[in-house]
């Protein structure tokens, strides 16, 4: 049997009719139907894929084979290649385009797609036809075949019919799903077409106004276009009919055309699908404020892109047809980069009274203003504005002139001419000349009155009006002239033009040219007669060519001349750092001076003492081997066990060798460390060994702190991130990265085995730099280095040197959990001794019970008992105890427990501490005290605390991991690797024999712990990884990651880059300001985005808490038998604001109670409120981690503290602003949002009139872009909601799951202006119906609102960019931030 949609492969055995032929004027083709009720083709009129692939007569062969019971005969035709292999290749796994299109049509309830097929000399060409049947009317709508334009027809030609059909399916799928990221499932060929040729086609079509071709619902788009065409045809017919009627009446064409009503004809059909969508309105005051900001700060075409002449002509014709003046469009295309920006420019700069009707709000009438209590003042403002000036500008100017109408008119004219409105045109006023001018003026008035008669009117002693006679003009023109306060006629008078039907900006253009004419040709003699004569002859020409909009835009708007001509444009985001290259000449002056100092120092007793200590280290015996390996190889790998001295000695060996060879002046060694404390500790240690102070010969550079001297410091210990940021800000290109290291002689990368993201990125960069810097030396060091991996990675460019140093550690005894329980006699249930009888010969069952009671969680009482035991064993001997814990919360809880032990000197150690606090772990404990350090894995390597003799290892570590089920990064507590535990163990044997107490079993060590940690590149979502790469200035992200030590899959990288574009981190393949922020925060992008917004908009603590809640889970519990009570408890916190705000308020109350109540009361309150105290603690821990990350990335000052009052004013003033927080949550979750579809309104009668009823919850529906209708999860506080706060018409969600239905969870309602400000791209509907956001959400409203908000979003990105450069910047009073905040709080209204 042939497959559906394919022709049969044999001759005429079938009785079914042939395939339906479709005739087209351009080409002939055959339609193949997949529909069940369509007959299958018996014989194709062209060669099909099967005929091409199989042998002739294959039908006969198949019949014969079937008749023989399936046994293949010797004459059987060759086997047909598998379609999947033909289309996708042997190794491809995914979905075929034909199948994907069929599934999509089935999901949308369309008919199965049909395919045309035509044979050309070059092969086969196919097109897809989509159909949909109305379930009520049973009427079937057929779309025209999806045809490529002539310039791209060659793409559709394929060698076989099968390939042609799949190409047609892929293009058809793109036409209806181009906004979705589904092309990753396609075969490689079609995936590339989707990203490249198809996307370029779409861009060109959108530029030409054909965006409707890519609507997700092409049937609705077809209906709307047909309705619009029918409406326009009807309107044209009505106009023709009216015109004929008027011409047939007395007076003919000279009659006045009355309102025809044709403007409303067909309006209902045109607006179908838009009537029930949310309506957006903007208050007048806030609109004027935004217009002022746009004119003040907005940047048009920042990269100076020039539109080609061909495109300019198309845009000019297209936009002129939309109702704009051709001269306006011609001006706009010279300033803008494409059609979309040109349209936005016009909607901003063209005065409202000259805009096309489709772009104006419903019922718009120009010139209407609110009544004023001061009628005289209102009359003056009206007279001034009738000349064409904006009403608000007239109001401000009149107030500035203390209510003097004459001075205000003069100031407005000065503004129009680009002059200082506050000063006269001449330097001072000569009273004698002013008196003479008055007499000249009065004499001229007498003459003018005699000349013009009734056309002349004297308004006051200083003002006259003359009606102009303009040939071929139906509209009257009135010229008003106001005598200047200076000497007349040596100074131009104040001129105004009034004409009711003339747009304001044209009146202003006439005024400009009239004043210029007076100043150049008429001063010094009577002006009025000559001016009237000139205007009557020139005014029509000015109307035809009024000049540039920008020349009058300051006066036609309320913003005045507050144009920002000096704004900084962020074209180049990178700041280049110039460094001098290394001078490798021996025996330079600086090298000889350095050699002399070094030789003298070697003879001093302190240096001799240090040298003696250094010689005892294992690394010293390999000094010459290390030096030689570094000299002979560009890359050297040094592996050494803990205590070998590799980190402290290797860099000194290299430096001393250079000094002794008279090359000390060229030395500049950078040694990277994964953590700040490592860099600080090593800098202290190495400077001590060289008998110098930190900051001279040996220095360090960590975030926010640096001690080094240019030209003097030769060894600099830095965190890996510091070096990466130096390379990141170098300029972006590979040459810039090389130049950034021009003054560096050696790069030492320590602790490479940790395989952190920063380290892997650095290795990729260094490998590229080594190809261009043959003199640069790279040294890789680690305690547990898998040297072969790195040897292979760098070995491609030449031989790699290898040195292995044996460790010098004292023996360490291991005690596992069962050993510890026996020695301490700990009982997990009571926290005391074990319950077995001391005389019992078989205590093991009780030990097993104790292990079971402890479980996998950290038992803090057991840690305390173990510390007590170690302290008792050591007695009066010195020696510290080091406890390894997964995070800061666990450290704090441990310290709380062990501080109750009398002689313990307890100290924390983790990355979030200040440098001074971290250094407290190195000195000995006070006399009579035992030093106990509770640390994270920062104490595993690099730093050495000399007096540690015992280690307590919990075997746990907090690690980022990616959960693909909900696309979420989690900071999880997991088992540490065996390699890491070996490092922890080694800390106990540095000074003498020690002991390691492992709070896990031998079985857990062998079965639950990995040998080595998984590289971080495999543990983070790829969008975060791609963003980090992009932040380093890398343009080709896939190619960069493909060269990494452990490269990810290319398909996943491309998908991640697409997602970055949708969330606003990348725009036009460039990193946005938001993207630069997110690149520095180690969190899920949505959580990172929320924290960035929180710090920017003044609600940091609230956003931190929500991010932590999303990372952990909701603190509310829902027992099976008390679900309703639990839901009611959660709803009492949320107050209809959404799930996340309810969780936030619950956490805030818990945090407040924890400070003022004992633990018992807190736990009791949690139980009553259906809250998990443990989950609250986990959320608190995650908040601390995120806060530390924000500090480490310099986004927050290092001294920031949640309880600090100054930080409340700067970062947390809006923490209680629910409307703002809901908006920021929605912005962070974009594009995960759904549209709320309310039912028709119902009303009930009451004494005071009809009252609107709240809709029932079950009648409210929700729709998203990917799934259509979705459903609120029953656990949500909004499951039974009948209304939403703040005019919310949309819902953001964090998780989506499909069971019997598609459910959405973690819901937050938000309004239309939140969508406009934080949603996807905004497109204008040129039929005047409103805006389309992100390609699918419709909003009814004024087109200018969409443009204003779109520009406001760009300015918001600039504010974020400024905050990147200055993280401590206070944005509380920033006018852009305040406007955005006001928009989302009031949904665009003024109050």
């Amino acid at each position: 049997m042939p497959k559906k949609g394919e022709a049969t492969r044999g001759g005429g055995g079938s009785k079914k009719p042939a395939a339906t032929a479709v005739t087209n004027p351009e080409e002939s083709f055959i339609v193949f139907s997949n529909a069940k009720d369509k007959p299958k083709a018996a014989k194709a009129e062209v060669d099909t894929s099967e005929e091409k692939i199989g042998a002739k007569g294959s039908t006969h062969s198949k019949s014969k084979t079937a008749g023989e019971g399936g046994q293949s005969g010797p004459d059987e035709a060759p086997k047909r290649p598998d379609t999947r292999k033909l289309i996708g290749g042997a190794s491809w796994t995914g979905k075929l385009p034909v199948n994907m299109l069929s599934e999509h049509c089935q999901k949308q309830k369309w008919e199965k797609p049909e395919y045309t097929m035509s044979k050309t000399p070059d092969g086969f060409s196919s097109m897809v036809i989509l159909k949909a049947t109305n379930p009520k009317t049973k009427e079937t709508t057929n779309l025209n075949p999806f045809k490529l334009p002539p310039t791209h027809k060659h793409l559709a030609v394929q060698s076989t019919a099968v390939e042609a059909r799949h190409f047609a399916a892929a293009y058809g799928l793109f036409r209806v799903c181009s906004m979705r990221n589904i092309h990753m499932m396609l075969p490689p060929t079609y995936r590339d077409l989707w990203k490249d040729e198809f996307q370029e086609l779409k861009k060109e079509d959108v530029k030409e106004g054909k965006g409707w071709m890519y609507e997700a619902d092409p049937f609705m788009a077809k209906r709307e276009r047909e309705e619009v065409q029918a409406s326009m045809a009807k309107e044209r017919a009505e106009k023709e009919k009216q015109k004929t009627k008027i011409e047939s009446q007395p007076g003919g064409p000279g009659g006045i055309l009355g309102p025809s009503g044709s403007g409303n004809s067909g309006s209902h059909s045109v607006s179908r699908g838009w009537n029930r969508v949310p309506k957006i309105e903007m208050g007048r005051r806030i609109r004027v404020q935004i217009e002022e900001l746009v004119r003040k700060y907005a940047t048009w075409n920042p990269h100076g892109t020039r539109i080609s002449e061909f495109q300019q002509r198309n845009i000019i014709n297209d936009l002129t047809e939309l109702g704009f003046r051709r001269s306006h469009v011609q001006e706009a295309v010279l300033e803008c980069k494409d059609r979309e920006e040109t349209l936005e420019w016009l909607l901003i700069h063209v005065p409202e009274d000259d805009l096309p009707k489709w772009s104006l709000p419903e019922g718009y009438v120009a010139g209407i203003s609110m009544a004023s209590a001061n009628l005289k003042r209102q009359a003056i403002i009206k007279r001034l504005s009738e000349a064409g000036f904006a009403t608000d500008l007239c109001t401000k100017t009149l107030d500035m002139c203390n209510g003097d109408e004459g001075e205000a008119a003069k100031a407005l004219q000065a503004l129009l001419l680009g002059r200082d409105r506050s000063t006269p045109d001449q330097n001072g006023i000569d009273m004698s000349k002013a008196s003479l001018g008055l007499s000249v003026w009065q004499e001229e008035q007498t003459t003018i009155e005699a000349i013009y008669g009734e056309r002349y009117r004297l308004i006051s002693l200083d003002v006259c009006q003359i009606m102009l006679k303009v040939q071929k003009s139906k509209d009257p023109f009135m010229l008003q002239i106001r005598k200047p306060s200076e000497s007349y006629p040596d100074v131009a008078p104040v001129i105004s033009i009034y004409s009711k039907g003339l747009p304001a900006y044209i009146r202003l253009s006439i005024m400009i040219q009239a004043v210029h004419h007076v100043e150049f040709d008429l001063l010094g003699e009577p002006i009025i007669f000559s001016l009237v004569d000139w205007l009557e002859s020139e005014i029509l020409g000015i109307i035809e060519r009024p000049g540039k909009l920008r020349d009058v835009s300051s006066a036609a708007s309320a913003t005045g001349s507050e144009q920002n001509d000096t704004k900084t444009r962020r074209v180049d985001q990178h700041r280049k750092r110039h460094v001098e290259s290394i001078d490798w000449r021996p025996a330079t002056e600086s090298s000889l001076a350095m050699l002399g100092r070094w030789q003298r120092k070697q003879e001093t007793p302190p240096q001799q003492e240090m040298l003696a200590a250094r010689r005892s280290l294992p690394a010293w015996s390999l000094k010459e081997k290390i030096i030689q390996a570094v000299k002979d190889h560009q890359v050297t790998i040094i592996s050494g066990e803990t205590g070998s001295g590799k980190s402290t000695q290797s860099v000194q060996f290299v430096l001393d060798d250079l000094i002794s060879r008279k090359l000390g002046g060229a030395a500049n060694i950078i040694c990277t460390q994964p953590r700040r404390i490592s860099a600080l500790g090593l800098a202290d240690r190495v400077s001590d060994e060289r008998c110098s102070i930190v900051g001279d010969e040996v220095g360090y550079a960590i975030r926010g702190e640096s001690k080094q001297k240019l030209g003097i410091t030769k060894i600099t210990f830095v965190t890996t991130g510091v070096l990466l940021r130096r390379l990141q800000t170098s300029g972006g290109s590979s040459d810039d990265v090389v130049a950034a290291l021009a003054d560096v002689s050696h790069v030492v990368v320590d602790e490479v085995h940790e395989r952190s993201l920063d380290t892997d990125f650095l290795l990729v960069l260094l490998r590229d730099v080594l190809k261009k810097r043959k003199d640069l030396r790279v040294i890789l060091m680690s305690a547990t280095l898998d040297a072969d991996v790195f040897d292979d990675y760098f070995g491609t460019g030449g031989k790699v040197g290898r040195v292995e140093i044996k460790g010098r550690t004292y023996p360490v005894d291991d005690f596992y959990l069962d050993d510890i329980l026996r020695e301490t006699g700990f009982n997990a249930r009571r926290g005391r001794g074990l319950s077995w009888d001391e005389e019992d010969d078989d205590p093991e069952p009780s030990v097993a019970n104790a292990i079971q009671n402890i479980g996998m969680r950290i038992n803090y009482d057991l840690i305390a008992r173990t510390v007590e035991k170690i302290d008792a064993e050591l007695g009066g001997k010195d020696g510290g105890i080091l406890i390894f814990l997964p995070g800061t919360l666990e450290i704090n809880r441990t310290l709380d427990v062990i501080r109750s032990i009398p002689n313990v000197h307890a100290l924390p150690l983790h990355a979030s501490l200040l440098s001074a606090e971290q250094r407290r772990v190195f000195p000995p404990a006070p006399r009579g005290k035992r030093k106990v350090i509770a640390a994270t894995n920062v104490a595993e390597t690099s730093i050495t605390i000399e007096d540690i003799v015992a280690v307590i290892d919990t075997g746990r570590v907090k690690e980022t991991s990616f959960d693909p089920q909900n696309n979420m990064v989690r900071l999880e507590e997991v088992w540490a690797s065996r390699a890491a535990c070996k490092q922890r163990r080694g800390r106990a044997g540095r000074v003498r024999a020690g002991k390691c107490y492992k709070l896990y079993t031998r079985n857990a060590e062998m079965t639950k712990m990995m040998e080595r940690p998984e590289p971080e590149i495999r543990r983070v979502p790829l969008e975060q990884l791609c963003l980090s790469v992009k932040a380093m200035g890398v343009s080709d992200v896939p190619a960069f990651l493909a060269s990494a030590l452990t490269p990810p899959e290319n398909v996943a990288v491309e998908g991640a880059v697409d997602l970055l574009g949708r969330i606003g981190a990348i725009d036009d393949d460039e990193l946005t300001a938001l993207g630069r922020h997110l690149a520095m925060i180690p969190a899920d992008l949505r959580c990172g985005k929320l924290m960035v917004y929180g710090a920017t908009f003044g609600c940091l603590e609230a956003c931190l808490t929500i991010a932590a809640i999303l990372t952990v889970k909701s603190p509310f519990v829902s027992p099976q038998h008390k679900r309703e009570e639990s839901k009611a408890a959660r709803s009492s916190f949320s107050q209809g604001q959404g799930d996340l705000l309810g969780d936030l308020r619950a956490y805030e109350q818990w945090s407040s109670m924890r400070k003022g109540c004992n633990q018992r009361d807190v736990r009791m309150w949690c139980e009553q409120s259906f809250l998990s105290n443990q989950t609250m603690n986990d959320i608190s821990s995650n908040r601390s981690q995120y806060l530390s990350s924000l500090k480490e990335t310099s986004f927050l000052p290092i001294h920031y503290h949640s309880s600090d009052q100054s930080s409340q004013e700067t970062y947390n003033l809006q923490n209680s602003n629910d409307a703002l927080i809901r908006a920021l949550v929605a912005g962070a979750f974009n594009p995960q949002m759904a549209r709320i579809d309310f039912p028709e309104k119902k009303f009930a009668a009451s004494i005071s009139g009809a009252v609107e009823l709240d809709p029932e919850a079950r009648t409210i529906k929700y729709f998203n872009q990917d799934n259509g209708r979705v459903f609120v999860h029953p656990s949500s506080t909004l499951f039974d909601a009948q209304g939403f706060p703040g005019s919310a018409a949309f819902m953001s969600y964090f998780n989506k799951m499909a069971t019997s239905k598609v459910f959405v969870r973690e819901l937050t309602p938000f309004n239309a202006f939140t969508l406009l400000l934080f949603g996807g791209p905004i497109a204008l509907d040129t039929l005047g119906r409103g805006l389309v956001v992100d390609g699918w959400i419709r909003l009814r409203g004024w087109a200018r609102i969409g443009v204003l908000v779109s520009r406001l979003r760009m300015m918001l990105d600039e504010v974020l960019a400024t905050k990147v450069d200055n993280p401590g910047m206070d944005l509380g009073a920033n006018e852009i931030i305040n406007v955005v905040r006001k928009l989302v709080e009031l949904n665009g209204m003024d109050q």
Side-chain angles (χ1 to χ4, degrees), residues 425-559:
D425 295 333
Q426 307 294 332
N427 295 325
I429 299 174
D430 189 325
M431 295 308 296
S432 61
K433 286 187 177 182
S435 176
L436 180 61
L438 178 60
S439 64
V440 172
W441 169 267
Q442 292 173 341
E443 183 180 337
E444 187 175 4
Q445 294 303 310
T446 305
T447 305
I448 291 299
E449 183 179 10
I451 294 173
Y452 294 115
E454 292 182 356
R455 292 166 55 193
Y456 170 83
R457 181 183 174 197
L458 186 66
I459 304 300
S460 67
L461 290 176
D462 293 337
V463 181
C464 71
Q465 290 181 347
I466 300 171
M467 184 69 71
L468 302 178
K469 278 188 176 180
V470 181
Q471 298 295 326
K472 300 180 182 179
S473 173
K474 300 176 185 177
D475 298 319
F477 290 88
M478 178 72 74
L479 168 66
Q480 177 173 293
I481 300 177
R482 184 182 297 273
K483 187 183 78 68
S485 54
E486 298 87 351
S487 175
Y488 177 84
D490 296 328
V491 177
V494 178
I495 299 171
S496 301
I497 297 290
Y498 301 114
S499 181
K500 188 175 182 181
L502 201 61
Y505 97 99
I506 295 182
R507 281 176 269 157
L508 296 175
S509 295
I510 297 171
M511 290 163 58
I512 290 175
Q513 297 194 40
V515 173
H516 286 162
H517 175 67
V518 169
E519 291 181 338
F520 284 110
D521 298 325
L522 304 180
L523 293 181
E525 59 186 39
I527 291 171
I528 299 176
F529 177 81
S530 299
L531 176 60
V532 170
D533 183 60
W534 182 84
L535 281 171
E536 289 179 340
S537 62
E538 298 292 332
I539 203 165
L540 287 180
I542 298 174
I543 293 172
E544 185 69 24
R545 294 175 297 278
K548 291 187 176 182
L549 281 169
R550 279 196 180 276
D551 294 341
V552 296
S553 61
S554 60
S557 72
T559 62

Side-chain angles (χ1 to χ4, degrees), residues 484-786:
S485 54
E486 298 87 351
S487 175
Y488 177 84
D490 296 328
V491 177
V494 178
I495 299 171
S496 301
I497 297 290
Y498 301 114
S499 181
K500 188 175 182 181
L502 201 61
Y505 97 99
I506 295 182
R507 281 176 269 157
L508 296 175
S509 295
I510 297 171
M511 290 163 58
I512 290 175
Q513 297 194 40
V515 173
H516 286 162
H517 175 67
V518 169
E519 291 181 338
F520 284 110
D521 298 325
L522 304 180
L523 293 181
E525 59 186 39
I527 291 171
I528 299 176
F529 177 81
S530 299
L531 176 60
V532 170
D533 183 60
W534 182 84
L535 281 171
E536 289 179 340
S537 62
E538 298 292 332
I539 203 165
L540 287 180
I542 298 174
I543 293 172
E544 185 69 24
R545 294 175 297 278
K548 291 187 176 182
L549 281 169
R550 279 196 180 276
D551 294 341
V552 296
S553 61
S554 60
S557 72
T559 62
S561 59
E562 294 172 358
Q563 300 281 342
N564 184 13
D565 298 325
T566 59
K567 59 176 145 258
T568 302
R569 294 182 175 182
R570 293 181 165 270
V571 177
D572 185 6
Q573 302 287 358
H574 302 288
R575 301 178 299 278
K576 297 190 177 183
R577 173 181 177 270
H578 178 72
V579 293
E580 296 292 336
S581 299
I582 294 176
D583 182 3
W584 284 106
R585 292 176 302 162
T588 61
E589 184 179 348
S590 61
S591 297
L592 291 175
M594 193 172 181
L595 175 62
R597 291 193 300 271
W598 179 75
Q599 288 175 337
R600 289 191 294 273
K601 187 184 288 185
Q602 299 306 305
E603 305 301 324
T604 62
Q607 189 66 72
Q608 288 292 324
E609 185 180 343
M610 282 295 180
L611 282 172
R614 290 177 59 193
R615 289 190 184 100
S616 65
L617 293 170
W620 189 271
S621 61
L622 295 171
K623 175 182 177 182
E624 295 303 323
K625 187 176 180 180
I626 292 172
I627 291 172
Q628 197 61 43
V630 173
K631 285 167 61 178
D632 295 343
H633 305 93
Q634 271 196 293
V635 180
T636 302
I637 302 171
I638 302 175
S639 57
E641 296 180 7
T642 301
S644 63
K646 66 182 185 311
S647 298
T648 57
Q649 303 308 306
S650 299
V651 288
Q652 295 190 70
F653 296 159
V654 173
L655 177 60
D656 290 343
D657 174 65
L658 289 173
I659 294 173
S660 63
R661 290 192 288 132
K662 301 179 183 178
L663 290 170
N668 184 10
I669 304 169
I670 292 182
C671 182
T672 70
Q673 296 294 323
R675 286 166 286 273
R676 291 186 303 147
I677 191 170
S678 306
L680 294 171
L682 285 169
D684 286 339
R685 178 67 178 267
V686 174
S687 60
D688 287 344
E689 290 185 356
R690 299 186 72 79
C691 295
S692 66
I693 61 173
V694 176
D696 285 346
E697 192 179 35
V698 180
Y700 66 84
I702 61 174
R703 178 191 52 80
E705 190 177 345
S706 174
K707 280 191 177 182
Q708 53 185 327
K709 295 177 183 175
L710 186 63
I712 295 175
T713 302
K714 296 298 175 182
I715 301 174
T716 309
F717 291 93
V718 302
T719 52
T720 313
V722 166
L723 180 55
L724 279 176
R725 275 190 288 277
R726 172 174 172 176
L727 302 180
Q728 181 180 332
T729 57
S730 62
S733 70
S734 57
D735 290 337
D736 291 326
V737 174
V738 173
L741 294 174
D743 62 341
V744 177
S745 60
H746 298 73
V747 177
V748 182
V749 186
D750 206 352
E751 312 301 343
V752 190
H753 73 283
E754 293 188 6
R755 297 296 307 277
S756 69
L757 203 61
D758 283 352
T759 300
D760 277 8
F761 284 174
L762 180 60
L763 293 181
V764 178
L765 291 172
L766 290 176
R767 191 170 72 159
D768 291 339
V769 172
L770 288 172
K771 297 173 184 176
K772 300 181 180 181
R773 278 278 315 272
K774 299 300 181 183
D775 60 322
L776 180 66
R777 295 294 183 263
V778 173
I779 303 170
L780 309 179
M781 296 196 300
S782 175
T784 59
L785 180 64
D786 188 357

